[in-house]
Amino acid sequence: MGAITYEDGIAILQLIVFPFILVASLFIWKRTGWRVGSKIWRYPFTLSLIRLAGSIATLYSINHETTKVRIAIFVCQLIGIAPLLLAYVGMLRLIDLKKSIPPLLLLLVTLMAFAGLMIGIIGVSTADTTNGYTPGTLSKAAMGLFLAVYVITMLLTTWLFYTHSFTMLRYQKKLFLGTALSAPFLLVRLIFSALGDYTSNKTFSMESLAENNHTSLTAYLCMSVLEEIISMVIAMVFGVSAVLEADFVKPTPEAGREEKPDEV
């Protein structure tokens, strides 16, 4: 049996934390309604599954280190950004009770995230890994879309708060707080990935992570894994608190209509 490395320890941390995020997202999803809630809470649920899959692949590589397993780990690292961002787009949908933001705009932001996801997967899976992984044009384009989604989502959230802050219900304010407090951690998470794609600094490269470079793994832990965990824990805590509020309004499939949540 191979030795447990620094990278494996990070994977074990994710295996411990993300099941709790998965359960929390399922609880909020149920309270919101399985059908309408799927546009919001399926994303943190999906992120949890991706992180668990990536962690399992990392631990599997202890005794089965192959190029395909390493690519699977890289893909899991990359595609987690899309559901992470979409979780906050979903929270924005739930905050926007009055439908002040044009639905077409939110749809466009969502499509941008999915486009980044598809382009990123193709970029990683088709990259030449003979001499190590180097981000190509597609990976850089995907990262650019993810950064754009973050900026647009935060601008829309800020605008919504300043235009409706005096009329927001308690549950809306809690969701906004969840987004606002998570935003700095989410930004650092994205900066880490952007530095890996747009610079030649080996500290932030996937290649260095694969080589178990201590400096790179510490940067990955502090700027990616922990930032992502903290941002999602904050979002889930405020999300659970919001749906338990007496004034929580569950959205319905019909445009412009809402109803009180079913009792649980």
Side-chain angles (χ1 to χ4, degrees):
M1 180 177 179
I4 301 296
T5 64
Y6 194 166
E7 182 184 19
D8 300 330
I10 295 174
I12 292 171
L13 171 65
Q14 291 177 308
L15 279 174
I16 293 172
V17 174
F18 275 98
F20 293 99
I21 296 175
L22 185 146
V23 171
S25 65
L26 275 177
F27 173 79
I28 304 171
W29 191 349
K30 183 177 184 297
R31 289 283 302 187
T32 306
W34 293 116
R35 182 180 175 187
V36 292
S38 65
K39 292 183 177 180
I40 306 167
W41 304 110
R42 66 183 175 190
Y43 298 117
F45 177 79
T46 301
L47 173 65
S48 300
L49 292 179
I50 291 170
R51 290 295 173 247
L52 291 173
S55 299
I56 291 170
T58 299
L59 296 178
Y60 180 79
S61 69
I62 294 175
N63 294 317
H64 304 86
E65 180 68 51
T66 65
T67 300
K68 289 184 178 180
V69 172
R70 184 52 56 181
I71 289 177
I73 295 170
F74 289 166
V75 169
C76 286
Q77 289 174 353
L78 173 70
I79 65 177
I81 298 178
L84 175 64
L85 290 170
L86 287 170
Y88 292 93
V89 176
M91 289 174 69
L92 180 58
R93 290 176 183 271
L94 203 54
I95 295 172
D96 189 19
L97 181 63
K98 297 181 179 179
K99 306 292 189 296
S100 301
I101 300 173
L104 188 60
L105 179 56
L106 288 177
L107 176 61
L108 176 62
V109 175
T110 301
L111 290 176
M112 287 172 61
F114 277 114
L117 172 62
M118 294 296 103
I119 293 171
I121 291 175
I122 294 171
V124 173
S125 59
T126 60
D128 182 7
T129 57
T130 304
N131 299 313
Y133 173 78
T134 301
T137 302
L138 291 178
S139 296
K140 293 177 181 179
M143 193 66 237
L145 286 172
F146 291 145
L147 290 171
V149 169
Y150 173 83
V151 171
I152 295 171
T153 302
M154 292 305 143
L155 287 175
L156 288 175
T157 304
T158 303
W159 172 80
L160 194 64
F161 179 77
Y162 280 108
T163 53
H164 298 291
S165 59
F166 293 107
T167 58
M168 279 188 178
L169 301 175
R170 284 179 59 85
Y171 91 88
Q172 292 173 296
K173 291 179 179 179
K174 287 189 174 182
L175 289 173
F176 174 81
L177 273 175
T179 300
L181 294 176
S182 299
F185 300 101
L186 182 56
L187 178 59
V188 174
R189 166 69 181 90
L190 291 173
I191 288 174
F192 174 85
S193 293
L195 289 172
D197 285 340
Y198 297 133
T199 72
S200 58
N201 192 325
K202 295 296 184 181
T203 300
F204 308 102
S205 70
M206 289 187 180
E207 183 180 354
S208 294
L209 292 178
E211 295 171 352
N212 268 290
N213 180 287
H214 191 280
T215 301
S216 294
L217 286 169
T218 299
Y220 171 61
L221 173 64
C222 296
M223 294 183 66
S224 178
V225 176
L226 290 179
E227 302 297 317
E228 188 172 277
I229 287 174
I230 293 171
S231 66
M232 286 310 301
V233 167
I234 292 173
M236 291 300 99
V237 168
F238 279 95
V240 170
S241 181
V243 298
L244 290 177
E245 281 290 341
D247 64 2
F248 173 62
V249 178
K250 182 174 71 173
T252 62
E254 294 79 19
R257 291 181 56 199
E258 295 82 21
E259 64 182 16
K260 288 292 182 179
D262 298 330
E263 292 297 325
V264 175

